[in-house]
Amino acid sequence: MSGMASGDGDRRLIEAGMALASELSLDAVLQRIVELAVDLTGARYGALGVLTPGGRAIQDFITVGITPEERAALGNPPVGHGLLGALTREPHPIRIPNIAAVPRSVGFPPNHPPMRSLLGARIIGRGAVFGNIYLTDKRGAEMFDEEDERVLVVLATQAAIAVENARLYDETERRGRELQRLQVYLLSYIAVSL
């Protein structure tokens, strides 16, 4: 995206926000967030780590840029130590040109594709960290730049709103089903009582 005019990039961010806001399925929102982040920054790989309610571990890990077979070979989601854990604890995005050169990096598990540069941002909603977006290996460049970081922060903010919308929609649907069950119960009770 850094090679694009700022106006075009801002237009694409607005379009991304509208696309996220229109999606009501939480799983679809999460997948779309990663796809948009990869597309808007020119990353080779992207992932979104959803944290457990206490924020101590990654419970879901959505990826873009690796095949389903490669993803399966990686096994369980990352534990969240090293750089991935640091992103959860630190209030600012992380932009690193060489992952291996950072002392707090714990390396990659077996079967992991080689990755060099990293850009990550937290997804924060209602004051709590919901998860993190991770991007690696910017196409055509050694590392991600300030514009990529700005884009990812805006996208993470939009993602927090979209995640909250999807959660509210799920809650509304659940309550609607409960209300329908209660209505059926009351109608059958009234019918039996008459």
Side-chain angles (χ1 to χ4, degrees):
M1 172 148 163
S2 299
M4 290 184 220
S6 180
D8 184 48
D10 289 342
R11 179 188 55 77
R12 290 185 68 203
L13 272 175
I14 291 168
E15 289 171 0
M18 291 184 331
L20 287 174
S22 68
E23 185 57 64
L24 298 176
S25 160
L26 184 55
D27 290 341
V29 165
L30 298 176
Q31 184 67 43
R32 189 71 181 123
I33 290 166
V34 182
E35 291 167 355
L36 287 166
V38 165
D39 180 50
L40 292 172
T41 63
R44 182 175 310 279
Y45 303 105
L48 189 148
V50 178
L51 299 175
T52 57
R56 296 190 178 272
I58 297 172
Q59 77 180 23
D60 285 320
F61 202 65
I62 296 98
T63 58
V64 170
I66 61 174
T67 67
E69 296 79 20
E70 290 171 323
R71 176 68 184 96
L74 292 175
N76 294 329
V79 178
H81 296 306
L83 292 173
L84 300 188
L87 185 57
T88 301
R89 293 182 301 275
E90 295 180 13
H92 304 290
I94 293 176
R95 186 163 35 110
I96 297 169
N98 184 355
I99 296 167
V102 177
R104 60 187 166 174
S105 174
V106 294
F108 296 108
N111 303 314
H112 198 286
M115 296 178 180
R116 183 170 170 84
S117 61
L118 171 73
L119 175 62
R122 302 188 309 172
I123 300 173
I124 302 173
R126 292 190 174 193
V129 179
F130 169 80
N132 302 305
I133 303 175
Y134 315 99
L135 303 173
T136 58
D137 296 351
K138 182 172 177 72
R139 295 177 192 271
E142 286 293 312
M143 65 179 285
F144 296 95
D145 60 23
E146 289 179 17
E147 178 64 9
D148 297 319
E149 184 175 317
R150 181 189 76 83
V151 165
L152 191 61
V153 168
V154 169
L155 188 56
T157 302
Q158 292 173 335
I161 295 165
V163 166
E164 187 60 31
N165 286 346
R167 285 180 167 174
L168 289 172
Y169 177 77
D170 286 347
E171 179 64 19
T172 302
E173 288 291 301
R174 185 186 64 74
R175 288 183 180 194
R177 288 189 301 273
E178 288 175 5
L179 183 58
Q180 282 181 324
R181 282 193 293 271
L182 181 59
Q183 287 173 337
V184 168
Y185 172 77
L186 288 174
L187 288 174
S188 47
Y189 178 78
I190 291 169
V192 169
S193 299
L194 295 177

PDB file of all heavy atoms in Angstrom, residues 22-55:
ATOM      1  N   SER A  22     -20.525  -4.566   7.634  1.00  0.00           N
ATOM      2  CA  SER A  22     -21.683  -5.246   7.048  1.00  0.00           C
ATOM      3  C   SER A  22     -21.688  -6.744   7.335  1.00  0.00           C
ATOM      4  O   SER A  22     -22.693  -7.411   7.109  1.00  0.00           O
ATOM      5  CB  SER A  22     -21.717  -5.009   5.535  1.00  0.00           C
ATOM      6  OG  SER A  22     -20.629  -5.672   4.916  1.00  0.00           O
ATOM      7  N   GLU A  23     -20.607  -7.281   7.825  1.00  0.00           N
ATOM      8  CA  GLU A  23     -20.518  -8.721   8.100  1.00  0.00           C
ATOM      9  C   GLU A  23     -21.001  -9.003   9.511  1.00  0.00           C
ATOM     10  O   GLU A  23     -20.569  -8.354  10.452  1.00  0.00           O
ATOM     11  CB  GLU A  23     -19.061  -9.191   7.925  1.00  0.00           C
ATOM     12  CG  GLU A  23     -18.871 -10.670   8.074  1.00  0.00           C
ATOM     13  CD  GLU A  23     -19.712 -11.479   7.116  1.00  0.00           C
ATOM     14  OE1 GLU A  23     -19.495 -11.371   5.899  1.00  0.00           O
ATOM     15  OE2 GLU A  23     -20.597 -12.221   7.596  1.00  0.00           O
ATOM     16  N   LEU A  24     -21.894  -9.982   9.655  1.00  0.00           N
ATOM     17  CA  LEU A  24     -22.478 -10.276  10.959  1.00  0.00           C
ATOM     18  C   LEU A  24     -21.955 -11.557  11.595  1.00  0.00           C
ATOM     19  O   LEU A  24     -22.125 -11.762  12.782  1.00  0.00           O
ATOM     20  CB  LEU A  24     -24.007 -10.336  10.834  1.00  0.00           C
ATOM     21  CG  LEU A  24     -24.652  -9.022  10.391  1.00  0.00           C
ATOM     22  CD1 LEU A  24     -26.144  -9.200  10.192  1.00  0.00           C
ATOM     23  CD2 LEU A  24     -24.376  -7.921  11.392  1.00  0.00           C
ATOM     24  N   SER A  25     -21.314 -12.406  10.837  1.00  0.00           N
ATOM     25  CA  SER A  25     -20.760 -13.639  11.396  1.00  0.00           C
ATOM     26  C   SER A  25     -19.376 -13.354  11.968  1.00  0.00           C
ATOM     27  O   SER A  25     -18.500 -12.831  11.270  1.00  0.00           O
ATOM     28  CB  SER A  25     -20.652 -14.700  10.297  1.00  0.00           C
ATOM     29  OG  SER A  25     -19.734 -15.709  10.660  1.00  0.00           O
ATOM     30  N   LEU A  26     -19.162 -13.692  13.236  1.00  0.00           N
ATOM     31  CA  LEU A  26     -17.876 -13.417  13.872  1.00  0.00           C
ATOM     32  C   LEU A  26     -16.733 -14.131  13.149  1.00  0.00           C
ATOM     33  O   LEU A  26     -15.692 -13.531  12.894  1.00  0.00           O
ATOM     34  CB  LEU A  26     -17.903 -13.807  15.351  1.00  0.00           C
ATOM     35  CG  LEU A  26     -16.641 -13.478  16.145  1.00  0.00           C
ATOM     36  CD1 LEU A  26     -16.283 -12.000  16.048  1.00  0.00           C
ATOM     37  CD2 LEU A  26     -16.807 -13.888  17.596  1.00  0.00           C
ATOM     38  N   ASP A  27     -16.924 -15.384  12.792  1.00  0.00           N
ATOM     39  CA  ASP A  27     -15.869 -16.123  12.073  1.00  0.00           C
ATOM     40  C   ASP A  27     -15.532 -15.446  10.748  1.00  0.00           C
ATOM     41  O   ASP A  27     -14.364 -15.319  10.386  1.00  0.00           O
ATOM     42  CB  ASP A  27     -16.290 -17.575  11.833  1.00  0.00           C
ATOM     43  CG  ASP A  27     -16.328 -18.390  13.113  1.00  0.00           C
ATOM     44  OD1 ASP A  27     -15.698 -17.973  14.110  1.00  0.00           O
ATOM     45  OD2 ASP A  27     -16.993 -19.437  13.122  1.00  0.00           O
ATOM     46  N   ALA A  28     -16.567 -15.006  10.031  1.00  0.00           N
ATOM     47  CA  ALA A  28     -16.338 -14.335   8.750  1.00  0.00           C
ATOM     48  C   ALA A  28     -15.645 -12.991   8.958  1.00  0.00           C
ATOM     49  O   ALA A  28     -14.773 -12.612   8.177  1.00  0.00           O
ATOM     50  CB  ALA A  28     -17.663 -14.152   8.009  1.00  0.00           C
ATOM     51  N   VAL A  29     -16.013 -12.268  10.013  1.00  0.00           N
ATOM     52  CA  VAL A  29     -15.366 -10.986  10.319  1.00  0.00           C
ATOM     53  C   VAL A  29     -13.878 -11.193  10.564  1.00  0.00           C
ATOM     54  O   VAL A  29     -13.033 -10.473  10.022  1.00  0.00           O
ATOM     55  CB  VAL A  29     -16.023 -10.306  11.550  1.00  0.00           C
ATOM     56  CG1 VAL A  29     -15.151  -9.183  12.092  1.00  0.00           C
ATOM     57  CG2 VAL A  29     -17.387  -9.758  11.189  1.00  0.00           C
ATOM     58  N   LEU A  30     -13.541 -12.190  11.373  1.00  0.00           N
ATOM     59  CA  LEU A  30     -12.133 -12.437  11.701  1.00  0.00           C
ATOM     60  C   LEU A  30     -11.330 -12.789  10.452  1.00  0.00           C
ATOM     61  O   LEU A  30     -10.226 -12.277  10.242  1.00  0.00           O
ATOM     62  CB  LEU A  30     -12.030 -13.540  12.747  1.00  0.00           C
ATOM     63  CG  LEU A  30     -12.686 -13.229  14.099  1.00  0.00           C
ATOM     64  CD1 LEU A  30     -12.591 -14.435  15.020  1.00  0.00           C
ATOM     65  CD2 LEU A  30     -12.095 -11.999  14.735  1.00  0.00           C
ATOM     66  N   GLN A  31     -11.866 -13.656   9.610  1.00  0.00           N
ATOM     67  CA  GLN A  31     -11.181 -14.033   8.370  1.00  0.00           C
ATOM     68  C   GLN A  31     -11.003 -12.814   7.476  1.00  0.00           C
ATOM     69  O   GLN A  31      -9.936 -12.588   6.916  1.00  0.00           O
ATOM     70  CB  GLN A  31     -11.967 -15.129   7.644  1.00  0.00           C
ATOM     71  CG  GLN A  31     -11.279 -15.640   6.397  1.00  0.00           C
ATOM     72  CD  GLN A  31      -9.991 -16.385   6.699  1.00  0.00           C
ATOM     73  OE1 GLN A  31      -9.929 -17.182   7.629  1.00  0.00           O
ATOM     74  NE2 GLN A  31      -8.968 -16.134   5.917  1.00  0.00           N
ATOM     75  N   ARG A  32     -12.045 -12.018   7.360  1.00  0.00           N
ATOM     76  CA  ARG A  32     -11.998 -10.835   6.487  1.00  0.00           C
ATOM     77  C   ARG A  32     -10.988  -9.810   6.999  1.00  0.00           C
ATOM     78  O   ARG A  32     -10.304  -9.157   6.218  1.00  0.00           O
ATOM     79  CB  ARG A  32     -13.404 -10.217   6.396  1.00  0.00           C
ATOM     80  CG  ARG A  32     -13.519  -9.144   5.371  1.00  0.00           C
ATOM     81  CD  ARG A  32     -13.456  -9.716   3.953  1.00  0.00           C
ATOM     82  NE  ARG A  32     -13.561  -8.620   3.006  1.00  0.00           N
ATOM     83  CZ  ARG A  32     -12.667  -8.366   2.079  1.00  0.00           C
ATOM     84  NH1 ARG A  32     -11.621  -9.141   1.916  1.00  0.00           N
ATOM     85  NH2 ARG A  32     -12.821  -7.347   1.261  1.00  0.00           N
ATOM     86  N   ILE A  33     -10.870  -9.662   8.305  1.00  0.00           N
ATOM     87  CA  ILE A  33      -9.892  -8.728   8.877  1.00  0.00           C
ATOM     88  C   ILE A  33      -8.484  -9.087   8.419  1.00  0.00           C
ATOM     89  O   ILE A  33      -7.717  -8.237   7.969  1.00  0.00           O
ATOM     90  CB  ILE A  33      -9.964  -8.735  10.417  1.00  0.00           C
ATOM     91  CG1 ILE A  33     -11.260  -8.091  10.901  1.00  0.00           C
ATOM     92  CG2 ILE A  33      -8.753  -8.034  11.032  1.00  0.00           C
ATOM     93  CD1 ILE A  33     -11.564  -8.343  12.363  1.00  0.00           C
ATOM     94  N   VAL A  34      -8.143 -10.361   8.523  1.00  0.00           N
ATOM     95  CA  VAL A  34      -6.794 -10.790   8.136  1.00  0.00           C
ATOM     96  C   VAL A  34      -6.589 -10.593   6.639  1.00  0.00           C
ATOM     97  O   VAL A  34      -5.540 -10.101   6.200  1.00  0.00           O
ATOM     98  CB  VAL A  34      -6.536 -12.261   8.524  1.00  0.00           C
ATOM     99  CG1 VAL A  34      -5.122 -12.670   8.155  1.00  0.00           C
ATOM    100  CG2 VAL A  34      -6.771 -12.479   9.999  1.00  0.00           C
ATOM    101  N   GLU A  35      -7.581 -10.958   5.831  1.00  0.00           N
ATOM    102  CA  GLU A  35      -7.464 -10.790   4.382  1.00  0.00           C
ATOM    103  C   GLU A  35      -7.255  -9.320   4.013  1.00  0.00           C
ATOM    104  O   GLU A  35      -6.407  -8.996   3.176  1.00  0.00           O
ATOM    105  CB  GLU A  35      -8.713 -11.338   3.687  1.00  0.00           C
ATOM    106  CG  GLU A  35      -8.830 -12.846   3.772  1.00  0.00           C
ATOM    107  CD  GLU A  35     -10.202 -13.367   3.357  1.00  0.00           C
ATOM    108  OE1 GLU A  35     -11.121 -12.547   3.090  1.00  0.00           O
ATOM    109  OE2 GLU A  35     -10.362 -14.599   3.311  1.00  0.00           O
ATOM    110  N   LEU A  36      -8.024  -8.429   4.642  1.00  0.00           N
ATOM    111  CA  LEU A  36      -7.875  -7.000   4.361  1.00  0.00           C
ATOM    112  C   LEU A  36      -6.513  -6.474   4.800  1.00  0.00           C
ATOM    113  O   LEU A  36      -5.886  -5.684   4.094  1.00  0.00           O
ATOM    114  CB  LEU A  36      -8.989  -6.213   5.062  1.00  0.00           C
ATOM    115  CG  LEU A  36     -10.378  -6.343   4.446  1.00  0.00           C
ATOM    116  CD1 LEU A  36     -11.436  -5.803   5.405  1.00  0.00           C
ATOM    117  CD2 LEU A  36     -10.445  -5.633   3.103  1.00  0.00           C
ATOM    118  N   ALA A  37      -6.040  -6.902   5.955  1.00  0.00           N
ATOM    119  CA  ALA A  37      -4.738  -6.451   6.450  1.00  0.00           C
ATOM    120  C   ALA A  37      -3.621  -6.857   5.491  1.00  0.00           C
ATOM    121  O   ALA A  37      -2.738  -6.054   5.173  1.00  0.00           O
ATOM    122  CB  ALA A  37      -4.481  -7.013   7.849  1.00  0.00           C
ATOM    123  N   VAL A  38      -3.674  -8.092   5.020  1.00  0.00           N
ATOM    124  CA  VAL A  38      -2.675  -8.580   4.060  1.00  0.00           C
ATOM    125  C   VAL A  38      -2.754  -7.774   2.771  1.00  0.00           C
ATOM    126  O   VAL A  38      -1.739  -7.308   2.237  1.00  0.00           O
ATOM    127  CB  VAL A  38      -2.873 -10.098   3.802  1.00  0.00           C
ATOM    128  CG1 VAL A  38      -2.122 -10.563   2.572  1.00  0.00           C
ATOM    129  CG2 VAL A  38      -2.453 -10.894   5.028  1.00  0.00           C
ATOM    130  N   ASP A  39      -3.966  -7.585   2.267  1.00  0.00           N
ATOM    131  CA  ASP A  39      -4.163  -6.865   1.014  1.00  0.00           C
ATOM    132  C   ASP A  39      -3.720  -5.408   1.117  1.00  0.00           C
ATOM    133  O   ASP A  39      -3.016  -4.895   0.245  1.00  0.00           O
ATOM    134  CB  ASP A  39      -5.642  -6.943   0.609  1.00  0.00           C
ATOM    135  CG  ASP A  39      -5.917  -6.218  -0.694  1.00  0.00           C
ATOM    136  OD1 ASP A  39      -5.208  -6.453  -1.684  1.00  0.00           O
ATOM    137  OD2 ASP A  39      -6.864  -5.395  -0.707  1.00  0.00           O
ATOM    138  N   LEU A  40      -4.118  -4.725   2.184  1.00  0.00           N
ATOM    139  CA  LEU A  40      -3.842  -3.292   2.301  1.00  0.00           C
ATOM    140  C   LEU A  40      -2.381  -2.965   2.598  1.00  0.00           C
ATOM    141  O   LEU A  40      -1.935  -1.846   2.337  1.00  0.00           O
ATOM    142  CB  LEU A  40      -4.742  -2.676   3.377  1.00  0.00           C
ATOM    143  CG  LEU A  40      -6.235  -2.628   3.023  1.00  0.00           C
ATOM    144  CD1 LEU A  40      -7.052  -2.183   4.222  1.00  0.00           C
ATOM    145  CD2 LEU A  40      -6.487  -1.723   1.827  1.00  0.00           C
ATOM    146  N   THR A  41      -1.631  -3.916   3.140  1.00  0.00           N
ATOM    147  CA  THR A  41      -0.221  -3.646   3.457  1.00  0.00           C
ATOM    148  C   THR A  41       0.763  -4.344   2.522  1.00  0.00           C
ATOM    149  O   THR A  41       1.955  -4.073   2.584  1.00  0.00           O
ATOM    150  CB  THR A  41       0.107  -4.087   4.901  1.00  0.00           C
ATOM    151  OG1 THR A  41      -0.087  -5.498   4.994  1.00  0.00           O
ATOM    152  CG2 THR A  41      -0.741  -3.342   5.912  1.00  0.00           C
ATOM    153  N   GLY A  42       0.277  -5.258   1.713  1.00  0.00           N
ATOM    154  CA  GLY A  42       1.172  -6.003   0.837  1.00  0.00           C
ATOM    155  C   GLY A  42       1.941  -7.088   1.559  1.00  0.00           C
ATOM    156  O   GLY A  42       3.028  -7.490   1.137  1.00  0.00           O
ATOM    157  N   ALA A  43       1.400  -7.602   2.649  1.00  0.00           N
ATOM    158  CA  ALA A  43       2.068  -8.665   3.408  1.00  0.00           C
ATOM    159  C   ALA A  43       1.947 -10.000   2.675  1.00  0.00           C
ATOM    160  O   ALA A  43       0.960 -10.258   1.986  1.00  0.00           O
ATOM    161  CB  ALA A  43       1.445  -8.779   4.802  1.00  0.00           C
ATOM    162  N   ARG A  44       2.933 -10.838   2.859  1.00  0.00           N
ATOM    163  CA  ARG A  44       2.889 -12.194   2.300  1.00  0.00           C
ATOM    164  C   ARG A  44       2.031 -13.091   3.186  1.00  0.00           C
ATOM    165  O   ARG A  44       1.277 -13.918   2.705  1.00  0.00           O
ATOM    166  CB  ARG A  44       4.299 -12.770   2.183  1.00  0.00           C
ATOM    167  CG  ARG A  44       4.344 -14.158   1.559  1.00  0.00           C
ATOM    168  CD  ARG A  44       5.774 -14.636   1.353  1.00  0.00           C
ATOM    169  NE  ARG A  44       6.626 -13.672   0.687  1.00  0.00           N
ATOM    170  CZ  ARG A  44       6.694 -13.455  -0.632  1.00  0.00           C
ATOM    171  NH1 ARG A  44       5.935 -14.156  -1.440  1.00  0.00           N
ATOM    172  NH2 ARG A  44       7.510 -12.563  -1.134  1.00  0.00           N
ATOM    173  N   TYR A  45       2.151 -12.927   4.490  1.00  0.00           N
ATOM    174  CA  TYR A  45       1.412 -13.743   5.448  1.00  0.00           C
ATOM    175  C   TYR A  45       0.678 -12.847   6.434  1.00  0.00           C
ATOM    176  O   TYR A  45       1.157 -11.777   6.796  1.00  0.00           O
ATOM    177  CB  TYR A  45       2.358 -14.639   6.259  1.00  0.00           C
ATOM    178  CG  TYR A  45       3.216 -15.553   5.441  1.00  0.00           C
ATOM    179  CD1 TYR A  45       4.567 -15.279   5.255  1.00  0.00           C
ATOM    180  CD2 TYR A  45       2.685 -16.701   4.857  1.00  0.00           C
ATOM    181  CE1 TYR A  45       5.372 -16.122   4.506  1.00  0.00           C
ATOM    182  CE2 TYR A  45       3.478 -17.546   4.104  1.00  0.00           C
ATOM    183  CZ  TYR A  45       4.822 -17.256   3.929  1.00  0.00           C
ATOM    184  OH  TYR A  45       5.606 -18.091   3.183  1.00  0.00           O
ATOM    185  N   GLY A  46      -0.457 -13.332   6.904  1.00  0.00           N
ATOM    186  CA  GLY A  46      -1.200 -12.626   7.932  1.00  0.00           C
ATOM    187  C   GLY A  46      -1.847 -13.613   8.875  1.00  0.00           C
ATOM    188  O   GLY A  46      -2.156 -14.750   8.497  1.00  0.00           O
ATOM    189  N   ALA A  47      -2.043 -13.167  10.100  1.00  0.00           N
ATOM    190  CA  ALA A  47      -2.724 -14.007  11.086  1.00  0.00           C
ATOM    191  C   ALA A  47      -3.429 -13.114  12.083  1.00  0.00           C
ATOM    192  O   ALA A  47      -3.056 -11.965  12.290  1.00  0.00           O
ATOM    193  CB  ALA A  47      -1.727 -14.915  11.800  1.00  0.00           C
ATOM    194  N   LEU A  48      -4.470 -13.674  12.670  1.00  0.00           N
ATOM    195  CA  LEU A  48      -5.178 -12.994  13.733  1.00  0.00           C
ATOM    196  C   LEU A  48      -5.292 -13.974  14.882  1.00  0.00           C
ATOM    197  O   LEU A  48      -5.799 -15.078  14.711  1.00  0.00           O
ATOM    198  CB  LEU A  48      -6.569 -12.544  13.269  1.00  0.00           C
ATOM    199  CG  LEU A  48      -7.312 -11.628  14.234  1.00  0.00           C
ATOM    200  CD1 LEU A  48      -8.197 -10.671  13.453  1.00  0.00           C
ATOM    201  CD2 LEU A  48      -8.138 -12.409  15.223  1.00  0.00           C
ATOM    202  N   GLY A  49      -4.767 -13.575  16.017  1.00  0.00           N
ATOM    203  CA  GLY A  49      -4.852 -14.402  17.208  1.00  0.00           C
ATOM    204  C   GLY A  49      -5.949 -13.885  18.111  1.00  0.00           C
ATOM    205  O   GLY A  49      -5.923 -12.727  18.515  1.00  0.00           O
ATOM    206  N   VAL A  50      -6.951 -14.732  18.379  1.00  0.00           N
ATOM    207  CA  VAL A  50      -8.033 -14.376  19.300  1.00  0.00           C
ATOM    208  C   VAL A  50      -7.622 -14.868  20.682  1.00  0.00           C
ATOM    209  O   VAL A  50      -7.281 -16.043  20.854  1.00  0.00           O
ATOM    210  CB  VAL A  50      -9.359 -15.042  18.878  1.00  0.00           C
ATOM    211  CG1 VAL A  50     -10.469 -14.712  19.872  1.00  0.00           C
ATOM    212  CG2 VAL A  50      -9.742 -14.625  17.467  1.00  0.00           C
ATOM    213  N   LEU A  51      -7.666 -13.979  21.653  1.00  0.00           N
ATOM    214  CA  LEU A  51      -7.228 -14.333  23.003  1.00  0.00           C
ATOM    215  C   LEU A  51      -8.365 -14.961  23.807  1.00  0.00           C
ATOM    216  O   LEU A  51      -9.539 -14.697  23.563  1.00  0.00           O
ATOM    217  CB  LEU A  51      -6.730 -13.087  23.727  1.00  0.00           C
ATOM    218  CG  LEU A  51      -5.543 -12.383  23.077  1.00  0.00           C
ATOM    219  CD1 LEU A  51      -5.219 -11.093  23.822  1.00  0.00           C
ATOM    220  CD2 LEU A  51      -4.332 -13.287  23.031  1.00  0.00           C
ATOM    221  N   THR A  52      -7.984 -15.776  24.780  1.00  0.00           N
ATOM    222  CA  THR A  52      -8.950 -16.319  25.728  1.00  0.00           C
ATOM    223  C   THR A  52      -9.532 -15.152  26.521  1.00  0.00           C
ATOM    224  O   THR A  52      -8.932 -14.074  26.576  1.00  0.00           O
ATOM    225  CB  THR A  52      -8.286 -17.321  26.687  1.00  0.00           C
ATOM    226  OG1 THR A  52      -7.206 -16.655  27.356  1.00  0.00           O
ATOM    227  CG2 THR A  52      -7.779 -18.553  25.967  1.00  0.00           C
ATOM    228  N   PRO A  53     -10.696 -15.338  27.172  1.00  0.00           N
ATOM    229  CA  PRO A  53     -11.302 -14.227  27.907  1.00  0.00           C
ATOM    230  C   PRO A  53     -10.354 -13.548  28.903  1.00  0.00           C
ATOM    231  O   PRO A  53     -10.393 -12.343  29.059  1.00  0.00           O
ATOM    232  CB  PRO A  53     -12.491 -14.886  28.608  1.00  0.00           C
ATOM    233  CG  PRO A  53     -12.895 -15.975  27.671  1.00  0.00           C
ATOM    234  CD  PRO A  53     -11.594 -16.499  27.119  1.00  0.00           C
ATOM    235  N   GLY A  54      -9.482 -14.277  29.560  1.00  0.00           N
ATOM    236  CA  GLY A  54      -8.524 -13.669  30.479  1.00  0.00           C
ATOM    237  C   GLY A  54      -7.345 -13.021  29.778  1.00  0.00           C
ATOM    238  O   GLY A  54      -6.543 -12.337  30.397  1.00  0.00           O
ATOM    239  N   GLY A  55      -7.205 -13.241  28.464  1.00  0.00           N
ATOM    240  CA  GLY A  55      -6.129 -12.648  27.688  1.00  0.00           C
ATOM    241  C   GLY A  55      -4.770 -13.283  27.888  1.00  0.00           C
ATOM    242  O   GLY A  55      -3.751 -12.736  27.480  1.00  0.00           O
TER     243      GLY A  55
END
